[in-house]
Amino acid sequence: MALRRVLGLGAALGRRSCCSQHPLPPDFVEALRAVVGGPNVSTAMAVREQHGHDESMHACAPPDAVVWPQAVGQVQELAALCHRCHVPMVPFGTGTGLEGGVNAVQGGVCFDLSRMDAITELSLEDFSVAVEPGVTRKALNSYLRGTGLWFPVDPGADASLCGMAATGASGTNAVRYGTMRPNVLNLRVVLPDGRLFHTAGPGRQPRKRAAGYDLTSLFVGSEGTLGFLTQATLRLHPLPEATAATIATFPSVRAAVDCTVQVLQAAVPVARIEFLDEVMVGACGRFSGLELPEAPLLLLELHGSRHSLAEQQRQAEEIVRLNGGSGVAWAEEPEERGRLWDMRHSAWYAALALRPGCQGYSTDVCVPISRLPDVVVETKRDLQDSSLTGPMVGHVGDGNFHCILVFNRQDPAEAQRIHAFTQRLGRRALAAGGTCTGEHGVGLGKRALLLEELGPEGLDTLRCIKAALDPHNLMNPGKVL
Amino acid sequence: MALRRVLGLGAALGRRSCCSQHPLPPDFVEALRAVVGGPNVSTAMAVREQHGHDESMHACAPPDAVVWPQAVGQVQELAALCHRCHVPMVPFGTGTGLEGGVNAVQGGVCFDLSRMDAITELSLEDFSVAVEPGVTRKALNSYLRGTGLWFPVDPGADASLCGMAATGASGTNAVRYGTMRPNVLNLRVVLPDGRLFHTAGPGRQPRKRAAGYDLTSLFVGSEGTLGFLTQATLRLHPLPEATAATIATFPSVRAAVDCTVQVLQAAVPVARIEFLDEVMVGACGRFSGLELPEAPLLLLELHGSRHSLAEQQRQAEEIVRLNGGSGVAWAEEPEERGRLWDMRHSAWYAALALRPGCQGYSTDVCVPISRLPDVVVETKRDLQDSSLTGPMVGHVGDGNFHCILVFNRQDPAEAQRIHAFTQRLGRRALAAGGTCTGEHGVGLGKRALLLEELGPEGLDTLRCIKAALDPHNLMNPGKVL
C-alpha cells in the first residue's frame, strides 16, 4: 500500500533536483520498507554516516537512507522506485574504495549489497564462477580452496569483487594476470530504471566474444554511475605449482626501474614486481620488525612449475645483479613468503606510523614504464620541496605507483600543499603520457584531472554515454563526471 | 568553392533518408574532391564494386563514392561534410572481413583508409607502437624485425590493424596473448560529426587505466558503427626465445578437446592450440601434400625460453598421451613450423577445393570449453543430416570454432539449408552459454542472433549507446544493430 502511494506520487516528485541535496519524499522510506522489509532499511544517523565514506580522506557525505536488498529482484524494485521519484542511488560494497566512490554527495539511498553473497556457477573446466556483490576476494579464494583454481586480482583490501569490477581495480598481480577488466566475463546489471540485463547476455561465459559493443568493459570501471553490478562472472586461473618471492635492494630508483623493464623484456613471466622507495622501506622495516637496508627495493614473486621456477629465478637474479641490485634468499614456503608480503601489505599503516595521529591519502598515477624513473625522481624532489611525507609503493611492472601522503588535516596550510602536490603529480603523469589513476578510479578527487587527461571531446563522449544510460543522473551522481 | 556550395546545401539536404539508398546530393562529389584532391575520389563502378564487399558471401553493396584520405584532418573534414549532408559513411581497411562489415548497404561514401599508413611512437621500453589504418599486421611485424618485439594477434588474413581493432579480431594466438581488446592501448577516433578524440586521451599509453569509462574497449569491436579508428596504439610482446610446434592425432573429437582442457588446467602456457576435424584434416592433407591420418587433430605451438620449452613439451606430450593422442616430432626450426602452419592456414582454400567452383562461408561460434565436445559432435551430426560440406577448424583453447561451409550459391535449396544450419548452430552455441560470434563480428549476418544473445534489454543498451554517439545513424548503418 505504502509503495503504491509513493509510486503514485512519482510524477509530482519528478522535479526533485538531482544537483542538490533534498529530503526524501514523504512516505518514501515506508515504500523502501515495503520492498525489502523493515529491518533492511535504516535512517539512523550512525548507519548513514558509516555508509557515507570509504577509506579515503574525502569528507563523509551520508545518504538519506540505507537499504539492504537480499535479491536482485529487490534491487530492481528499489531502483524503479528511486527512479520514479528521482532519488539518487549509491551502490555500496565493502566501503574500501580510495576515491570517495560511495560518498553520497547528493544524498539519496545507499544500496548496501553485502547481504547478496551467493557464489554460483563454478565450472572447473571453464575456469569460471559467478559471484554476487557480497562476495569478497578472500571469501571467493576460500571457497575455491582445493579446486586447483584461484582468482588472482589483489588490490590489498578484502574488497567486494563486484566493487572491484565497478572500480576497475587491480593491484599486485596485474602484471601477470591482468586487471579486473580481462578477468570479468559477464555482469548482471540493474539499470537506473530497474531493468535488468547481462552485459554478455544471460547465462553466458565464453572466453571471447565479438558480438556487439563490449558492455562488460564499459561497466567495469564505471564506478556505480551507470547501474548496479549485482553479479559478476569471473575468469579463474590455475594455481601455480610453485611460488617463490624475494627482495632485491638497489643503489637508485632508476636502477630498480631499469631492472623491472629488463625483466619484462626478457619475458620472465613475473607474477608480482613491487617497488618501495627508501622512505617506505624504512617505514615498513620498522613497522614489521624486518631488518632492511634503507634503499630502493623490489619485491618479486614468481609463479610456475617447479622446473620453470628455477629458470625464472636464475634469469631474475642475473638481471637484478646486472642492475647493481643485491638480493636475499628466495622464500618458497608459504610462511616465509607471507612475511615478505605482510611487510608490503603493511605499507599503508607503516606510512601512517611515520606521523601518528595524522591522515593518509594515496595518489595513483600510472605512466609508461620508460618514463617511470624520471617521474618518480621528480616526484620525490617535489615531496621534499613541499615539505610533505609521502613514501612510495608501486606496481612497477605496470608503471603504477602510489605516494602515501601522511598529513595533518587540522593544518590548512599542509592540506593546501597536499592538494597542490597531487595536482602537480597528476599533471606530471599526464605530461609523461600516463593517467591520473591506474586503479583507484576518478571518484570525487580526480574529476578535474580527467578533463585534462581525455580532453573536452573525450569527456563529451563519456558524458554522452552517461546521459544515454542514466538520463536523470541518478546513479552515484557527482562521481567521475 | 564547390565545398562551400555543398555545405551551404546541408540544411536542405538534411532530410536525406538514412534507411534507404538515395543518390548523393548534387555537387557532393565535387565537395569530396575539394577536401582530398581529384585523384583521391572515385565513382567508377569497378572501384565502387571492389569496395562494396569483403571476403564473405554477403551480396556486394557498392558505396556511391570511394575516397582515399591521406591524413586524419581530411577524415575529419570528409566526415563533417557527410554528417552535414546526412550521407552514410563506411570505413574500409583491407576488405578482409568475414561478415559484410564494409558492404555499403545504404550507399554513401566508403572511406578507404589504406593510404594512411604511418607507423609512429615505437617504444621498445614500453612495448608499444602507434599505427594508422593502412598498416597491416604483417607490415607491422616486418617493421619490428630486429627489435625483439612483435604483435602476436593473428587472424590469418593480412588485415589492417585498425580494422582488426574495429572487428575485435583474434585468431590462433589469442589463447596466450589475448584478442585485440587487451592489446589496444589507445585509439584516435574521428566521430561521425568530424570531431576527433583519443579513447585514452591524446598521446597516452599507460599499461592500465581506471580513468572514466573504458572508451578503448567500447570502440574495439564497434565494427565502424561509432566512428573511424584512424590510429591504434598497440601493446607489443617480447619475441619468444624459442618456439616449437607439433601435431597430435586423436581417436575422437572429445579426446582432442579433453586434451585441450587439461593442457589449460595444467597451466602449460600454450601459445596456439588449434583443432581440425577429420574432414578438414583430409582436405588440408590433400591440399598441402602432407600425409596425415584422417582423424581429429590438434596443432600445438609453444613459446618460451629454450629451457622452459623442454618442460612445456614434456607436459604437453604427457597430456596428449593420456588422452589417447599420438604425436609426431616437434618442429623447432622456422621452416618445419612454417610447413605445419601453412597447412593450417590453407584450411579455407583446402575446404573450397572439396567442391571446386563453390562459395565458402565461415561460421564463428564460441562456447565454454566444457560444452565444446557436445556442441562439436552435435554440429557434425547436423552437417550430415543437412547434407552440407563444412569441415571444422577451431581456436579450441578459447572454445571458438569455425565450420567452413562450401556450397553452390546457384542452388536455392542448398542456400536455404545453409541459412537454416547457421541459425541452428548459433542457437546451439547460445543454449550452451556461448556467443554467435567469437571473432568475426556481427556485421550483416548475425543481427537476429545478437538479439537472442543479449536479450531485448541488452540490445536496447547497445542501441542507446549507438544513438548517443551517432544520432543520425550515419556510421556504417545497417551493421550490428
Side-chain angles (χ1 to χ4, degrees), chain B residues 218-244:
Chain B
L218 181 64
F219 278 84
V220 172
S222 62
E223 303 191 36
T225 63
L226 298 179
F228 295 94
L229 310 187
T230 65
Q231 186 185 59
T233 305
L234 302 174
R235 184 168 181 162
L236 302 174
H237 295 259
L239 269 173
E241 181 185 317
T243 300

mmCIF file of all heavy atoms in Angstrom, chain B residues 218-244:
data_model
loop_
_atom_site.group_PDB
_atom_site.id
_atom_site.type_symbol
_atom_site.label_atom_id
_atom_site.label_comp_id
_atom_site.label_asym_id
_atom_site.label_seq_id
_atom_site.Cartn_x
_atom_site.Cartn_y
_atom_site.Cartn_z
ATOM 1 N N LEU B 218 35.230 0.062 -25.806
ATOM 2 C CA LEU B 218 33.949 0.297 -26.473
ATOM 3 C C LEU B 218 34.133 0.386 -27.981
ATOM 4 O O LEU B 218 33.340 -0.176 -28.754
ATOM 5 C CB LEU B 218 33.318 1.595 -25.950
ATOM 6 C CG LEU B 218 31.967 1.945 -26.558
ATOM 7 C CD1 LEU B 218 30.915 0.898 -26.196
ATOM 8 C CD2 LEU B 218 31.504 3.324 -26.109
ATOM 9 N N PHE B 219 35.192 1.054 -28.413
ATOM 10 C CA PHE B 219 35.400 1.210 -29.860
ATOM 11 C C PHE B 219 36.015 -0.042 -30.480
ATOM 12 O O PHE B 219 35.799 -0.297 -31.664
ATOM 13 C CB PHE B 219 36.234 2.472 -30.145
ATOM 14 C CG PHE B 219 35.382 3.719 -30.144
ATOM 15 C CD1 PHE B 219 35.084 4.373 -28.965
ATOM 16 C CD2 PHE B 219 34.827 4.208 -31.314
ATOM 17 C CE1 PHE B 219 34.271 5.500 -28.948
ATOM 18 C CE2 PHE B 219 34.017 5.338 -31.323
ATOM 19 C CZ PHE B 219 33.743 5.992 -30.128
ATOM 20 N N VAL B 220 36.774 -0.827 -29.698
ATOM 21 C CA VAL B 220 37.250 -2.115 -30.217
ATOM 22 C C VAL B 220 36.021 -3.008 -30.385
ATOM 23 O O VAL B 220 35.262 -3.204 -29.434
ATOM 24 C CB VAL B 220 38.277 -2.778 -29.274
ATOM 25 C CG1 VAL B 220 38.601 -4.195 -29.739
ATOM 26 C CG2 VAL B 220 39.559 -1.958 -29.214
ATOM 27 N N GLY B 221 35.805 -3.502 -31.580
ATOM 28 C CA GLY B 221 34.635 -4.356 -31.825
ATOM 29 C C GLY B 221 33.385 -3.577 -32.183
ATOM 30 O O GLY B 221 32.308 -4.161 -32.269
ATOM 31 N N SER B 222 33.494 -2.262 -32.408
ATOM 32 C CA SER B 222 32.299 -1.481 -32.747
ATOM 33 C C SER B 222 31.988 -1.544 -34.240
ATOM 34 O O SER B 222 30.986 -0.987 -34.690
ATOM 35 C CB SER B 222 32.466 -0.034 -32.283
ATOM 36 O OG SER B 222 33.557 0.571 -32.938
ATOM 37 N N GLU B 223 32.834 -2.221 -35.010
ATOM 38 C CA GLU B 223 32.566 -2.530 -36.427
ATOM 39 C C GLU B 223 32.236 -1.285 -37.255
ATOM 40 O O GLU B 223 31.353 -1.320 -38.128
ATOM 41 C CB GLU B 223 31.457 -3.588 -36.550
ATOM 42 C CG GLU B 223 31.794 -4.878 -35.788
ATOM 43 C CD GLU B 223 30.841 -6.033 -36.122
ATOM 44 O OE1 GLU B 223 30.408 -6.145 -37.268
ATOM 45 O OE2 GLU B 223 30.546 -6.831 -35.198
ATOM 46 N N GLY B 224 32.920 -0.203 -36.969
ATOM 47 C CA GLY B 224 32.753 1.007 -37.777
ATOM 48 C C GLY B 224 31.437 1.717 -37.571
ATOM 49 O O GLY B 224 31.108 2.632 -38.322
ATOM 50 N N THR B 225 30.680 1.331 -36.538
ATOM 51 C CA THR B 225 29.351 1.923 -36.365
ATOM 52 C C THR B 225 29.356 3.123 -35.426
ATOM 53 O O THR B 225 28.321 3.763 -35.255
ATOM 54 C CB THR B 225 28.342 0.890 -35.814
ATOM 55 O OG1 THR B 225 28.776 0.483 -34.523
ATOM 56 C CG2 THR B 225 28.223 -0.316 -36.725
ATOM 57 N N LEU B 226 30.484 3.419 -34.774
ATOM 58 C CA LEU B 226 30.510 4.541 -33.821
ATOM 59 C C LEU B 226 31.446 5.658 -34.273
ATOM 60 O O LEU B 226 31.323 6.792 -33.810
ATOM 61 C CB LEU B 226 30.936 4.052 -32.429
ATOM 62 C CG LEU B 226 30.034 3.014 -31.748
ATOM 63 C CD1 LEU B 226 30.605 2.624 -30.392
ATOM 64 C CD2 LEU B 226 28.605 3.530 -31.597
ATOM 65 N N GLY B 227 32.409 5.327 -35.142
ATOM 66 C CA GLY B 227 33.368 6.339 -35.576
ATOM 67 C C GLY B 227 34.477 5.662 -36.361
ATOM 68 O O GLY B 227 34.498 4.433 -36.495
ATOM 69 N N PHE B 228 35.383 6.485 -36.883
ATOM 70 C CA PHE B 228 36.539 5.981 -37.631
ATOM 71 C C PHE B 228 37.709 5.769 -36.676
ATOM 72 O O PHE B 228 38.047 6.683 -35.915
ATOM 73 C CB PHE B 228 36.987 7.000 -38.679
ATOM 74 C CG PHE B 228 35.982 7.234 -39.766
ATOM 75 C CD1 PHE B 228 35.062 8.272 -39.675
ATOM 76 C CD2 PHE B 228 35.962 6.416 -40.880
ATOM 77 C CE1 PHE B 228 34.138 8.491 -40.679
ATOM 78 C CE2 PHE B 228 35.034 6.625 -41.893
ATOM 79 C CZ PHE B 228 34.116 7.663 -41.795
ATOM 80 N N LEU B 229 38.358 4.601 -36.748
ATOM 81 C CA LEU B 229 39.597 4.379 -35.990
ATOM 82 C C LEU B 229 40.742 4.811 -36.898
ATOM 83 O O LEU B 229 41.049 4.127 -37.877
ATOM 84 C CB LEU B 229 39.737 2.903 -35.609
ATOM 85 C CG LEU B 229 38.505 2.259 -34.953
ATOM 86 C CD1 LEU B 229 38.837 0.846 -34.470
ATOM 87 C CD2 LEU B 229 37.978 3.110 -33.804
ATOM 88 N N THR B 230 41.329 5.947 -36.610
ATOM 89 C CA THR B 230 42.347 6.487 -37.523
ATOM 90 C C THR B 230 43.768 6.267 -37.011
ATOM 91 O O THR B 230 44.724 6.616 -37.685
ATOM 92 C CB THR B 230 42.131 7.997 -37.757
ATOM 93 O OG1 THR B 230 42.327 8.682 -36.517
ATOM 94 C CG2 THR B 230 40.730 8.278 -38.285
ATOM 95 N N GLN B 231 43.893 5.705 -35.835
ATOM 96 C CA GLN B 231 45.202 5.306 -35.308
ATOM 97 C C GLN B 231 44.954 4.391 -34.117
ATOM 98 O O GLN B 231 44.022 4.637 -33.336
ATOM 99 C CB GLN B 231 46.016 6.522 -34.845
ATOM 100 C CG GLN B 231 47.444 6.184 -34.430
ATOM 101 C CD GLN B 231 48.169 7.397 -33.865
ATOM 102 O OE1 GLN B 231 47.736 7.992 -32.878
ATOM 103 N NE2 GLN B 231 49.263 7.770 -34.497
ATOM 104 N N ALA B 232 45.768 3.360 -34.008
ATOM 105 C CA ALA B 232 45.679 2.474 -32.840
ATOM 106 C C ALA B 232 47.050 2.389 -32.194
ATOM 107 O O ALA B 232 48.050 2.172 -32.885
ATOM 108 C CB ALA B 232 45.220 1.080 -33.259
ATOM 109 N N THR B 233 47.092 2.604 -30.877
ATOM 110 C CA THR B 233 48.327 2.368 -30.127
ATOM 111 C C THR B 233 48.250 0.947 -29.583
ATOM 112 O O THR B 233 47.288 0.596 -28.891
ATOM 113 C CB THR B 233 48.488 3.382 -28.985
ATOM 114 O OG1 THR B 233 48.399 4.695 -29.544
ATOM 115 C CG2 THR B 233 49.821 3.223 -28.282
ATOM 116 N N LEU B 234 49.228 0.141 -29.954
ATOM 117 C CA LEU B 234 49.160 -1.294 -29.673
ATOM 118 C C LEU B 234 50.207 -1.703 -28.646
ATOM 119 O O LEU B 234 51.270 -1.096 -28.543
ATOM 120 C CB LEU B 234 49.415 -2.082 -30.961
ATOM 121 C CG LEU B 234 48.454 -1.785 -32.118
ATOM 122 C CD1 LEU B 234 48.918 -2.514 -33.378
ATOM 123 C CD2 LEU B 234 47.029 -2.193 -31.744
ATOM 124 N N ARG B 235 49.877 -2.744 -27.938
ATOM 125 C CA ARG B 235 50.801 -3.338 -26.974
ATOM 126 C C ARG B 235 51.614 -4.417 -27.710
ATOM 127 O O ARG B 235 51.033 -5.298 -28.341
ATOM 128 C CB ARG B 235 49.944 -3.980 -25.892
ATOM 129 C CG ARG B 235 50.717 -4.567 -24.762
ATOM 130 C CD ARG B 235 49.738 -4.904 -23.646
ATOM 131 N NE ARG B 235 50.442 -5.450 -22.518
ATOM 132 C CZ ARG B 235 49.949 -5.524 -21.298
ATOM 133 N NH1 ARG B 235 48.731 -5.087 -21.060
ATOM 134 N NH2 ARG B 235 50.644 -6.020 -20.315
ATOM 135 N N LEU B 236 52.913 -4.328 -27.592
ATOM 136 C CA LEU B 236 53.779 -5.325 -28.231
ATOM 137 C C LEU B 236 54.248 -6.342 -27.190
ATOM 138 O O LEU B 236 54.116 -6.122 -25.984
ATOM 139 C CB LEU B 236 54.973 -4.622 -28.872
ATOM 140 C CG LEU B 236 54.594 -3.552 -29.911
ATOM 141 C CD1 LEU B 236 55.836 -2.806 -30.386
ATOM 142 C CD2 LEU B 236 53.842 -4.172 -31.090
ATOM 143 N N HIS B 237 54.766 -7.441 -27.680
ATOM 144 C CA HIS B 237 55.217 -8.519 -26.780
ATOM 145 C C HIS B 237 56.646 -8.919 -27.139
ATOM 146 O O HIS B 237 57.036 -8.827 -28.302
ATOM 147 C CB HIS B 237 54.280 -9.721 -26.922
ATOM 148 C CG HIS B 237 52.876 -9.426 -26.456
ATOM 149 N ND1 HIS B 237 52.397 -9.820 -25.232
ATOM 150 C CD2 HIS B 237 51.868 -8.735 -27.035
ATOM 151 C CE1 HIS B 237 51.160 -9.398 -25.085
ATOM 152 N NE2 HIS B 237 50.801 -8.743 -26.164
ATOM 153 N N PRO B 238 57.406 -9.375 -26.146
ATOM 154 C CA PRO B 238 58.759 -9.837 -26.472
ATOM 155 C C PRO B 238 58.676 -11.109 -27.325
ATOM 156 O O PRO B 238 57.844 -11.976 -27.057
ATOM 157 C CB PRO B 238 59.372 -10.169 -25.100
ATOM 158 C CG PRO B 238 58.408 -9.688 -24.068
ATOM 159 C CD PRO B 238 57.085 -9.512 -24.719
ATOM 160 N N LEU B 239 59.517 -11.188 -28.354
ATOM 161 C CA LEU B 239 59.577 -12.406 -29.165
ATOM 162 C C LEU B 239 60.048 -13.555 -28.287
ATOM 163 O O LEU B 239 60.980 -13.384 -27.499
ATOM 164 C CB LEU B 239 60.581 -12.223 -30.298
ATOM 165 C CG LEU B 239 60.057 -11.681 -31.625
ATOM 166 C CD1 LEU B 239 61.236 -11.418 -32.552
ATOM 167 C CD2 LEU B 239 59.077 -12.649 -32.280
ATOM 168 N N PRO B 240 59.415 -14.707 -28.394
ATOM 169 C CA PRO B 240 59.902 -15.836 -27.578
ATOM 170 C C PRO B 240 61.300 -16.242 -28.026
ATOM 171 O O PRO B 240 61.631 -16.162 -29.206
ATOM 172 C CB PRO B 240 58.882 -16.933 -27.861
ATOM 173 C CG PRO B 240 58.222 -16.558 -29.155
ATOM 174 C CD PRO B 240 58.270 -15.063 -29.243
ATOM 175 N N GLU B 241 62.092 -16.682 -27.061
ATOM 176 C CA GLU B 241 63.457 -17.134 -27.383
ATOM 177 C C GLU B 241 63.402 -18.390 -28.251
ATOM 178 O O GLU B 241 64.191 -18.559 -29.170
ATOM 179 C CB GLU B 241 64.186 -17.426 -26.057
ATOM 180 C CG GLU B 241 65.623 -17.872 -26.191
ATOM 181 C CD GLU B 241 66.205 -18.259 -24.830
ATOM 182 O OE1 GLU B 241 65.952 -17.528 -23.851
ATOM 183 O OE2 GLU B 241 66.887 -19.297 -24.741
ATOM 184 N N ALA B 242 62.440 -19.247 -27.949
ATOM 185 C CA ALA B 242 62.337 -20.498 -28.705
ATOM 186 C C ALA B 242 60.870 -20.840 -28.936
ATOM 187 O O ALA B 242 60.000 -20.447 -28.162
ATOM 188 C CB ALA B 242 63.021 -21.626 -27.932
ATOM 189 N N THR B 243 60.626 -21.549 -30.014
ATOM 190 C CA THR B 243 59.271 -21.914 -30.419
ATOM 191 C C THR B 243 59.289 -23.358 -30.912
ATOM 192 O O THR B 243 60.231 -23.771 -31.582
ATOM 193 C CB THR B 243 58.816 -20.983 -31.570
ATOM 194 O OG1 THR B 243 58.848 -19.635 -31.113
ATOM 195 C CG2 THR B 243 57.413 -21.306 -32.041
ATOM 196 N N ALA B 244 58.256 -24.099 -30.563
ATOM 197 C CA ALA B 244 58.157 -25.462 -31.093
ATOM 198 C C ALA B 244 56.696 -25.749 -31.406
ATOM 199 O O ALA B 244 55.803 -25.292 -30.687
ATOM 200 C CB ALA B 244 58.684 -26.471 -30.075
#
